[in-house]
Coordinates of all heavy atoms in Angstrom, one line a residue:
M1 N 3.5 11.4 4.6 CA 2.8 10.1 4.6 C 1.3 10.2 4.2 O 0.6 11.1 4.8 CB 2.9 9.4 5.9 CG 2.4 8.0 5.9 SD 3.5 6.8 5.1 CE 4.0 5.9 6.6
K2 N 0.9 9.5 3.3 CA -0.6 9.5 2.9 C -1.4 8.9 4.1 O -0.9 8.1 4.8 CB -0.8 8.6 1.7 CG -0.2 9.2 0.4 CD -0.5 8.2 -0.7 CE 0.1 8.6 -2.0 NZ 0.0 7.6 -3.1
P3 N -2.7 9.3 4.1 CA -3.6 8.7 5.1 C -3.9 7.2 4.7 O -3.7 6.9 3.5 CB -4.8 9.5 5.0 CG -4.8 10.1 3.7 CD -3.4 10.3 3.3
P4 N -4.3 6.4 5.6 CA -4.6 5.0 5.3 C -5.9 4.8 4.4 O -7.0 4.6 4.9 CB -4.9 4.3 6.7 CG -4.4 5.3 7.7 CD -4.5 6.7 7.0
I5 N -5.7 4.9 3.1 CA -6.7 4.7 2.1 C -6.2 3.7 1.1 O -5.1 3.9 0.6 CB -7.1 6.1 1.5 CG1 -7.7 7.0 2.5 CG2 -8.0 5.8 0.3 CD1 -7.9 8.4 2.0
C6 N -7.0 2.7 0.9 CA -6.6 1.6 0.0 C -6.2 2.1 -1.4 O -7.0 2.8 -2.0 CB -7.7 0.5 -0.1 SG -7.2 -0.9 -1.2
E7 N -5.0 1.8 -1.9 CA -4.5 2.2 -3.2 C -5.4 1.6 -4.3 O -5.5 2.2 -5.4 CB -3.1 1.8 -3.4 CG -2.1 2.3 -2.4 CD -1.6 3.8 -2.8 OE1 -2.0 4.2 -3.9 OE2 -0.9 4.4 -2.0
L8 N -6.0 0.5 -4.0 CA -6.7 -0.2 -5.1 C -8.2 0.2 -5.2 O -8.6 0.6 -6.2 CB -6.6 -1.7 -4.9 CG -6.9 -2.6 -6.1 CD1 -5.9 -2.4 -7.2 CD2 -7.0 -4.0 -5.8
C9 N -8.9 0.2 -4.1 CA -10.3 0.4 -4.1 C -10.7 1.7 -3.5 O -11.9 2.1 -3.5 CB -11.1 -0.8 -3.4 SG -10.8 -0.9 -1.6
G10 N -9.8 2.4 -2.8 CA -10.1 3.7 -2.3 C -10.8 3.7 -0.9 O -11.2 4.7 -0.4
H11 N -10.9 2.5 -0.3 CA -11.5 2.3 1.0 C -10.7 3.1 2.0 O -9.5 2.9 2.1 CB -11.6 0.8 1.4 CG -12.2 0.6 2.7 ND1 -13.5 0.9 3.0 CD2 -11.6 0.2 3.9 CE1 -13.7 0.6 4.3 NE2 -12.6 0.2 4.9
D12 N -11.4 3.9 2.8 CA -10.7 4.8 3.8 C -10.8 4.1 5.1 O -11.9 3.9 5.7 CB -11.4 6.1 3.8 CG -10.8 7.1 4.8 OD1 -10.1 6.7 5.7 OD2 -11.1 8.3 4.6
F13 N -9.7 3.6 5.7 CA -9.7 2.9 7.0 C -8.9 3.7 8.0 O -8.4 3.1 9.0 CB -9.3 1.5 6.8 CG -7.9 1.3 6.2 CD1 -6.8 1.1 7.0 CD2 -7.7 1.2 4.9 CE1 -5.5 0.9 6.5 CE2 -6.5 1.0 4.3 CZ -5.4 0.8 5.1
R14 N -8.8 5.0 7.9 CA -8.0 5.8 8.8 C -8.6 5.7 10.2 O -7.8 5.9 11.2 CB -7.8 7.2 8.3 CG -9.1 8.1 8.5 CD -8.8 9.4 7.9 NE -9.1 9.5 6.5 CZ -8.8 10.5 5.7 NH1 -8.2 11.6 6.2 NH2 -9.1 10.5 4.4
H15 N -9.9 5.4 10.4 CA -10.4 5.4 11.8 C -10.2 4.0 12.4 O -10.4 3.9 13.6 CB -11.9 5.7 11.7 CG -12.2 7.1 11.2 ND1 -11.6 8.2 11.8 CD2 -12.8 7.6 10.1 CE1 -12.0 9.3 11.1 NE2 -12.7 8.9 10.1
Q16 N -9.8 3.0 11.6 CA -9.6 1.7 12.1 C -8.1 1.4 12.3 O -7.7 0.7 13.2 CB -10.1 0.6 11.2 CG -11.6 0.5 11.1 CD -12.0 -0.3 9.9 OE1 -12.1 0.1 8.7 NE2 -12.2 -1.6 10.2
W17 N -7.3 2.1 11.5 CA -5.8 1.8 11.5 C -5.1 2.3 12.7 O -5.3 3.5 13.1 CB -5.2 2.4 10.2 CG -3.9 1.8 9.9 CD1 -3.6 0.5 9.6 CD2 -2.6 2.5 9.9 NE1 -2.2 0.4 9.4 CE2 -1.6 1.6 9.6 CE3 -2.3 3.8 10.1 CZ2 -0.3 1.9 9.5 CZ3 -0.9 4.2 10.0 CH2 0.1 3.2 9.7
D18 N -4.3 1.5 13.4 CA -3.6 1.9 14.6 C -2.1 1.6 14.4 O -1.4 1.5 15.4 CB -4.2 1.2 15.8 CG -4.1 -0.4 15.7 OD1 -3.5 -0.8 14.7 OD2 -4.6 -1.1 16.6
G19 N -1.6 1.4 13.2 CA -0.2 1.2 13.0 C 0.0 -0.3 12.8 O 1.1 -0.7 12.4
S20 N -0.9 -1.1 13.2 CA -0.8 -2.6 12.9 C -1.6 -2.9 11.6 O -1.6 -2.0 10.8 CB -1.4 -3.4 14.1 OG -2.8 -3.2 14.1
D21 N -2.2 -4.0 11.5 CA -2.9 -4.4 10.3 C -4.4 -4.3 10.5 O -5.2 -4.9 9.9 CB -2.6 -5.8 9.8 CG -1.2 -5.8 9.2 OD1 -0.6 -4.8 8.9 OD2 -0.7 -6.9 8.9
A22 N -4.8 -3.4 11.5 CA -6.2 -3.3 11.8 C -6.9 -2.5 10.7 O -6.6 -1.3 10.4 CB -6.4 -2.5 13.1
G23 N -7.9 -3.2 10.0 CA -8.6 -2.5 8.9 C -7.8 -2.5 7.6 O -8.4 -2.3 6.5
G24 N -6.6 -2.7 7.6 CA -5.7 -2.7 6.5 C -4.3 -2.5 6.9 O -4.0 -2.5 8.1
G25 N -3.4 -2.3 6.0 CA -2.0 -2.2 6.4 C -1.1 -1.6 5.3 O -1.6 -1.4 4.1
L26 N 0.2 -1.4 5.6 CA 1.2 -0.9 4.7 C 1.9 -2.0 4.0 O 2.2 -3.0 4.6 CB 2.2 0.0 5.4 CG 1.9 1.4 5.7 CD1 2.9 2.0 6.6 CD2 1.9 2.2 4.4
V27 N 2.2 -1.8 2.7 CA 3.0 -2.8 2.0 C 4.2 -2.1 1.3 O 4.0 -1.0 0.7 CB 2.2 -3.5 0.9 CG1 3.0 -4.5 0.1 CG2 1.0 -4.2 1.5
Q28 N 5.4 -2.6 1.5 CA 6.6 -2.1 0.8 C 6.8 -2.9 -0.4 O 7.0 -4.1 -0.3 CB 7.8 -2.2 1.7 CG 7.8 -1.2 2.9 CD 9.1 -1.3 3.7 OE1 10.0 -1.9 3.3 NE2 9.1 -0.6 4.9
F29 N 6.9 -2.3 -1.6 CA 7.2 -3.0 -2.8 C 8.6 -2.9 -3.2 O 9.4 -2.2 -2.5 CB 6.3 -2.4 -3.9 CG 4.8 -2.7 -3.7 CD1 4.0 -1.7 -3.0 CD2 4.3 -3.9 -4.0 CE1 2.7 -2.0 -2.8 CE2 2.9 -4.1 -3.8 CZ 2.1 -3.2 -3.2
A30 N 9.0 -3.6 -4.3 CA 10.4 -3.7 -4.7 C 11.0 -2.3 -5.0 O 12.2 -2.2 -4.9 CB 10.5 -4.6 -6.0
D31 N 10.2 -1.3 -5.4 CA 10.7 0.0 -5.7 C 10.6 0.9 -4.5 O 10.7 2.1 -4.7 CB 10.0 0.6 -6.9 CG 8.5 0.7 -6.8 OD1 8.0 0.1 -5.8 OD2 7.9 1.4 -7.5
Y32 N 10.4 0.4 -3.3 CA 10.3 1.2 -2.1 C 11.7 2.0 -1.9 O 12.7 1.4 -1.9 CB 10.0 0.3 -0.9 CG 10.2 1.1 0.4 CD1 9.2 2.1 0.7 CD2 11.2 0.8 1.3 CE1 9.3 2.8 1.9 CE2 11.3 1.5 2.5 CZ 10.3 2.5 2.8 OH 10.4 3.2 4.0
R33 N 11.5 3.3 -1.7 CA 12.7 4.1 -1.4 C 12.3 5.0 -0.2 O 11.4 5.8 -0.3 CB 13.1 5.0 -2.6 CG 13.5 4.3 -3.8 CD 14.9 3.6 -3.6 NE 15.3 2.9 -4.8 CZ 15.0 1.6 -5.1 NH1 14.3 0.9 -4.2 NH2 15.4 1.0 -6.2
P34 N 13.0 4.8 0.9 CA 12.7 5.7 2.0 C 13.0 7.2 1.7 O 13.9 7.5 0.8 CB 13.7 5.2 3.1 CG 14.4 4.0 2.6 CD 14.2 4.0 1.1
L35 N 12.3 8.1 2.3 CA 12.5 9.5 2.1 C 13.8 9.9 2.7 O 14.2 9.4 3.8 CB 11.4 10.3 2.7 CG 10.0 10.2 2.1 CD1 9.0 10.9 3.0 CD2 10.0 10.8 0.7
P36 N 14.6 10.7 2.0 CA 15.9 11.1 2.5 C 15.8 12.0 3.7 O 15.0 12.9 3.7 CB 16.6 11.8 1.3 CG 15.5 12.2 0.4 CD 14.3 11.3 0.7
G37 N 16.7 11.8 4.7 CA 16.8 12.6 5.8 C 15.4 12.8 6.5 O 14.7 11.8 6.8
N38 N 15.1 14.0 6.9 CA 13.8 14.3 7.6 C 12.8 14.9 6.6 O 11.9 15.6 7.1 CB 14.1 15.2 8.8 CG 14.8 16.5 8.4 OD1 15.0 16.7 7.2 ND2 15.2 17.2 9.4
Q39 N 12.9 14.6 5.4 CA 12.0 15.1 4.4 C 10.6 14.5 4.7 O 10.4 13.4 5.0 CB 12.4 14.6 3.0 CG 11.6 15.2 1.8 CD 12.2 14.7 0.5 OE1 13.4 14.6 0.3 NE2 11.3 14.5 -0.4
V40 N 9.6 15.4 4.5 CA 8.2 15.1 4.8 C 7.5 14.7 3.5 O 7.7 15.4 2.5 CB 7.4 16.2 5.5 CG1 5.9 15.9 5.6 CG2 8.0 16.6 6.8
G41 N 6.7 13.6 3.5 CA 6.0 13.2 2.3 C 5.7 11.8 2.3 O 5.8 11.1 3.4
H42 N 5.4 11.2 1.2 CA 5.1 9.8 1.1 C 6.2 9.1 0.3 O 6.4 9.4 -0.9 CB 3.7 9.6 0.5 CG 3.2 8.2 0.6 ND1 2.6 7.7 1.8 CD2 3.3 7.1 -0.2 CE1 2.3 6.5 1.6 NE2 2.7 6.1 0.4
P43 N 6.8 8.1 0.8 CA 7.9 7.4 0.1 C 7.4 6.6 -1.2 O 6.2 6.2 -1.2 CB 8.5 6.4 1.1 CG 7.8 6.7 2.4 CD 6.6 7.5 2.1
A44 N 8.2 6.5 -2.2 CA 7.9 5.8 -3.4 C 7.8 4.3 -3.0 O 8.5 3.8 -2.1 CB 8.9 6.0 -4.4
G45 N 6.9 3.6 -3.7 CA 6.8 2.1 -3.5 C 6.2 1.7 -2.2 O 6.4 0.5 -1.8
L46 N 5.5 2.6 -1.5 CA 4.9 2.2 -0.2 C 3.4 2.6 -0.3 O 3.1 3.7 -0.7 CB 5.5 3.0 0.9 CG 5.1 2.7 2.3 CD1 5.5 1.4 2.8 CD2 5.6 3.8 3.3
G47 N 2.6 1.6 -0.1 CA 1.1 1.8 -0.2 C 0.3 1.2 0.9 O 0.7 0.2 1.5
F48 N -0.8 1.8 1.1 CA -1.8 1.3 2.1 C -2.8 0.4 1.3 O -3.2 0.8 0.2 CB -2.6 2.4 2.7 CG -1.9 3.1 3.9 CD1 -1.3 4.3 3.8 CD2 -1.8 2.4 5.1 CE1 -0.7 4.9 4.8 CE2 -1.1 3.0 6.2 CZ -0.6 4.3 6.0
F49 N -3.2 -0.7 1.9 CA -4.2 -1.5 1.3 C -5.2 -2.0 2.4 O -4.8 -2.2 3.6 CB -3.6 -2.8 0.7 CG -2.8 -2.4 -0.6 CD1 -1.5 -2.1 -0.5 CD2 -3.4 -2.4 -1.8 CE1 -0.7 -1.7 -1.6 CE2 -2.7 -2.0 -2.9 CZ -1.4 -1.7 -2.8
C50 N -6.5 -2.0 2.1 CA -7.5 -2.4 3.0 C -7.4 -3.9 3.3 O -6.6 -4.6 2.6 CB -8.9 -2.1 2.5 SG -9.4 -3.1 1.1
S51 N -8.1 -4.4 4.3 CA -8.0 -5.8 4.7 C -8.4 -6.7 3.6 O -7.9 -7.8 3.5 CB -8.9 -6.0 5.9 OG -10.2 -5.6 5.7
V52 N -9.2 -6.3 2.7 CA -9.6 -7.1 1.5 C -8.4 -7.3 0.6 O -8.3 -8.4 0.1 CB -10.8 -6.5 0.8 CG1 -11.2 -7.3 -0.5 CG2 -12.0 -6.4 1.7
H53 N -7.6 -6.3 0.4 CA -6.6 -6.4 -0.6 C -5.2 -6.5 -0.1 O -4.2 -6.7 -0.8 CB -6.6 -5.1 -1.5 CG -7.9 -5.0 -2.3 ND1 -8.8 -3.9 -2.1 CD2 -8.4 -5.8 -3.2 CE1 -9.9 -4.1 -2.9 NE2 -9.7 -5.2 -3.6
L54 N -5.1 -6.5 1.3 CA -3.7 -6.5 1.9 C -3.0 -7.8 1.6 O -1.8 -7.7 1.3 CB -3.9 -6.3 3.4 CG -2.6 -6.2 4.2 CD1 -1.8 -5.0 3.7 CD2 -2.9 -6.1 5.7
T55 N -3.6 -8.9 1.7 CA -2.9 -10.2 1.5 C -2.4 -10.3 0.1 O -1.3 -10.7 -0.1 CB -3.9 -11.4 1.8 OG1 -4.4 -11.2 3.1 CG2 -3.2 -12.7 1.7
Q56 N -3.3 -9.9 -0.9 CA -2.8 -10.0 -2.3 C -1.7 -9.0 -2.5 O -0.7 -9.4 -3.2 CB -4.0 -9.7 -3.2 CG -3.7 -10.0 -4.6 CD -4.9 -9.7 -5.6 OE1 -5.8 -9.0 -5.2 NE2 -4.8 -10.1 -6.8
A57 N -1.8 -7.8 -2.0 CA -0.7 -6.8 -2.2 C 0.6 -7.3 -1.6 O 1.6 -7.2 -2.2 CB -1.1 -5.5 -1.5
R58 N 0.5 -8.0 -0.4 CA 1.8 -8.5 0.2 C 2.4 -9.6 -0.6 O 3.6 -9.7 -0.7 CB 1.5 -9.0 1.6 CG 1.2 -7.8 2.6 CD 2.0 -7.9 3.9 NE 2.0 -6.6 4.6 CZ 1.3 -6.4 5.7 NH1 0.6 -7.3 6.2 NH2 1.3 -5.2 6.2
S59 N 1.5 -10.4 -1.3 CA 2.0 -11.5 -2.1 C 2.7 -11.0 -3.4 O 3.4 -11.7 -4.0 CB 0.9 -12.4 -2.5 OG 0.1 -11.9 -3.5
L60 N 2.5 -9.7 -3.7 CA 3.1 -9.1 -4.9 C 4.2 -8.1 -4.6 O 4.6 -7.3 -5.4 CB 2.0 -8.4 -5.8 CG 0.9 -9.4 -6.3 CD1 -0.2 -8.6 -6.9 CD2 1.5 -10.3 -7.3
H61 N 4.7 -8.1 -3.3 CA 5.6 -7.1 -2.9 C 7.0 -7.2 -3.6 O 7.8 -6.2 -3.5 CB 5.8 -7.2 -1.4 CG 6.7 -8.3 -0.9 ND1 6.2 -9.6 -0.7 CD2 8.0 -8.3 -0.7 CE1 7.2 -10.3 -0.4 NE2 8.3 -9.6 -0.3
H62 N 7.2 -8.3 -4.3 CA 8.5 -8.4 -5.0 C 8.4 -7.7 -6.3 O 9.5 -7.6 -7.0 CB 8.8 -9.9 -5.3 CG 7.7 -10.6 -6.0 ND1 6.5 -11.0 -5.4 CD2 7.5 -11.0 -7.3 CE1 5.7 -11.5 -6.3 NE2 6.3 -11.6 -7.5
L63 N 7.3 -7.2 -6.7 CA 7.1 -6.3 -7.9 C 7.2 -4.9 -7.5 O 7.1 -4.5 -6.4 CB 5.8 -6.6 -8.6 CG 5.4 -8.0 -9.0 CD1 4.0 -8.2 -9.4 CD2 6.4 -8.5 -10.1
S64 N 7.4 -4.0 -8.5 CA 7.2 -2.6 -8.3 C 5.8 -2.3 -7.9 O 4.9 -3.1 -8.3 CB 7.7 -1.7 -9.5 OG 6.8 -1.9 -10.5
M65 N 5.5 -1.2 -7.3 CA 4.1 -1.0 -6.9 C 3.2 -0.8 -8.1 O 2.1 -1.3 -8.1 CB 4.1 0.3 -6.0 CG 2.7 0.6 -5.5 SD 2.8 1.8 -4.1 CE 1.1 2.4 -4.2
I66 N 3.7 -0.2 -9.1 CA 2.9 0.0 -10.4 C 2.5 -1.4 -11.0 O 1.4 -1.6 -11.3 CB 3.6 0.9 -11.4 CG1 3.6 2.4 -10.8 CG2 3.0 0.8 -12.7 CD1 4.4 3.3 -11.6
D67 N 3.5 -2.2 -11.1 CA 3.3 -3.6 -11.6 C 2.3 -4.4 -10.7 O 1.4 -5.1 -11.2 CB 4.6 -4.4 -11.7 CG 5.4 -3.8 -12.9 OD1 4.9 -3.1 -13.7 OD2 6.6 -4.2 -13.0
A68 N 2.5 -4.3 -9.4 CA 1.6 -5.0 -8.5 C 0.1 -4.5 -8.7 O -0.8 -5.2 -8.7 CB 2.1 -4.8 -7.1
M69 N 0.0 -3.1 -8.8 CA -1.3 -2.6 -8.9 C -2.0 -3.1 -10.2 O -3.2 -3.4 -10.2 CB -1.2 -1.0 -9.0 CG -0.7 -0.4 -7.7 SD -2.0 -0.4 -6.4 CE -3.2 0.7 -7.1
E70 N -1.2 -3.1 -11.3 CA -1.8 -3.6 -12.6 C -2.2 -5.1 -12.4 O -3.3 -5.5 -12.9 CB -0.7 -3.5 -13.7 CG -0.6 -2.1 -14.2 CD 0.4 -2.0 -15.4 OE1 0.9 -3.0 -15.8 OE2 0.6 -0.8 -15.8
R71 N -1.4 -5.9 -11.8 CA -1.7 -7.3 -11.6 C -3.0 -7.4 -10.8 O -3.8 -8.3 -11.1 CB -0.5 -7.9 -10.8 CG -0.5 -9.4 -10.9 CD 0.0 -10.0 -12.2 NE 1.4 -9.7 -12.4 CZ 2.4 -10.6 -12.0 NH1 2.1 -11.7 -11.4 NH2 3.6 -10.3 -12.3
M72 N -3.1 -6.6 -9.7 CA -4.3 -6.7 -8.8 C -5.5 -6.3 -9.6 O -6.6 -6.8 -9.4 CB -4.1 -5.9 -7.6 CG -3.0 -6.6 -6.7 SD -2.7 -5.6 -5.2 CE -4.1 -5.8 -4.2
Q73 N -5.4 -5.3 -10.4 CA -6.6 -4.8 -11.1 C -7.1 -5.8 -12.1 O -8.3 -5.9 -12.4 CB -6.3 -3.4 -11.8 CG -6.4 -2.3 -10.8 CD -5.6 -1.0 -11.3 OE1 -5.0 -1.0 -12.4 NE2 -5.6 0.0 -10.5
Q74 N -6.2 -6.6 -12.7 CA -6.5 -7.6 -13.7 C -7.3 -8.8 -13.0 O -8.2 -9.4 -13.6 CB -5.3 -8.1 -14.4 CG -4.8 -7.1 -15.4 CD -3.4 -7.4 -15.9 OE1 -2.8 -8.5 -15.5 NE2 -2.8 -6.5 -16.6
T75 N -6.9 -9.1 -11.8 CA -7.5 -10.3 -11.1 C -8.6 -9.9 -10.2 O -9.2 -10.8 -9.6 CB -6.4 -11.0 -10.3 OG1 -5.8 -10.1 -9.3 CG2 -5.3 -11.5 -11.2
D76 N -8.9 -8.6 -10.0 CA -9.9 -8.2 -9.1 C -11.3 -8.5 -9.6 O -11.6 -8.2 -10.8 CB -9.8 -6.7 -8.8 CG -10.5 -6.3 -7.5 OD1 -10.6 -7.2 -6.6 OD2 -10.9 -5.2 -7.3
Ligands
ZN101 ZN1 -9.0 -2.2 -1.0

């Protein structure tokens, strides 16, 4: 799993994040795939977003993560 750093702006909120939405949160996108078995790593389609970008990221969760990122970069 990646540390809590915003996929869009790179804001590092690992010192605020406690597993809830403090400082930012996790978003599962349409292409989310859990890691098989007990494999260690970061699942596809799962991203951290800071509190500034979390609401917008969640509103785009029906898209693949790449499509959502493109959409957010255009409107930012
Ligand atoms: Zn951000």
Side-chain angles (χ1 to χ4, degrees):
M1 186 77 112
K2 290 179 185 174
I5 294 173
C6 181
E7 297 279 354
L8 197 68
C9 69
H11 177 70
D12 182 340
F13 55 95
R14 73 182 86 187
H15 300 300
Q16 292 168 272
W17 195 63
D18 59 4
S20 69
D21 286 348
L26 272 170
V27 182
Q28 285 182 13
F29 292 95
D31 58 343
Y32 172 68
R33 296 289 177 271
L35 291 170
N38 54 7
Q39 189 178 321
V40 176
H42 191 83
L46 184 69
F48 279 107
F49 290 90
C50 70
S51 53
V52 174
H53 296 119
L54 184 61
T55 304
Q56 191 184 10
R58 289 228 163 108
S59 75
L60 297 170
H61 76 275
H62 56 286
L63 302 173
S64 70
M65 185 162 157
I66 287 172
D67 287 346
M69 295 287 292
E70 280 181 7
R71 195 77 70 90
M72 289 176 75
Q73 280 160 359
Q74 283 163 9
T75 56
D76 201 26

